[in-house]
Amino acid sequence: MSTVTKPNHIGRKISRIRELRDMKQEALAQALGTNQQAVSIIENSETIDEDKLIEVAKALGVTVEAIKNFSEEAVLNIIGNTYHDSNVVNGNAYSCNFNPLDKMVELYERLVQAEKEKIEYLEKILKDK
């Protein structure tokens, strides 16, 4: 017997999306105004009524189409094509497209300029008195 889920099993798709969003059944149940057992029933159902699917999608923060078209393979392809070894630092995806030191120098120069302008303004006020 195959353990591969049917591609159109809406409940399994909801379950995977919930798991990917790091949400427990209890949290989804609370967002839906129901209990954990009801969420379990939804996730074990091959089909779900459209109104309930709209509620679930809203609670998960995705569109109904995202649930209907969800594919584990597509998620893995996106991850595989997005994160490359050169962008992974200590297991975290990190891609910096600017030099942080340049940004610090730029900030410092802006602060110095602001201080100069403040001094000029105060000297002008004192001179006018």
Side-chain angles (χ1 to χ4, degrees), residues 2-129:
S2 173
T3 58
V4 176
T5 60
K6 295 180 180 179
N8 60 353
H9 195 290
I10 297 295
R12 295 276 184 261
K13 292 178 180 186
I14 290 170
S15 175
R16 285 303 293 142
I17 292 169
R18 177 185 55 75
E19 290 167 357
L20 288 169
R21 297 189 58 81
D22 199 27
M23 181 184 275
K24 297 199 176 293
Q25 282 186 339
E26 291 83 5
L28 181 56
Q30 186 176 11
L32 293 173
T34 187
N35 58 32
Q36 181 270 326
Q37 291 81 6
V39 171
S40 181
I41 291 168
I42 289 170
E43 291 182 354
N44 287 312
S45 301
E46 191 168 333
T47 59
I48 295 172
D49 126 59
E50 191 69 23
D51 291 336
K52 183 55 102 177
L53 187 58
I54 291 169
E55 286 180 48
V56 171
K58 185 177 179 184
L60 289 172
V62 298
T63 63
V64 171
E65 292 76 27
I67 295 174
K68 289 181 178 179
N69 298 325
F70 177 80
S71 160
E72 194 88 25
E73 184 178 328
V75 170
L76 293 174
N77 283 337
I78 289 168
I79 292 170
N81 291 328
T82 304
Y83 300 107
H84 304 287
D85 290 339
S86 64
N87 292 340
V88 176
V89 176
N90 297 328
N92 296 319
Y94 176 74
S95 178
C96 187
N97 57 3
F98 62 89
N99 183 345
L101 188 54
D102 289 343
K103 292 294 183 181
M104 292 294 294
V105 169
E106 180 183 320
L107 178 60
Y108 178 76
E109 289 172 348
R110 286 176 33 204
L111 287 171
V112 168
Q113 183 61 36
E115 286 298 314
K116 286 180 183 177
E117 290 171 2
K118 187 181 352 175
I119 290 169
E120 289 173 8
Y121 177 74
L122 291 173
E123 285 176 348
K124 181 180 176 192
I125 291 176
L126 290 174
K127 189 187 283 185
D128 290 343
K129 283 188 175 185

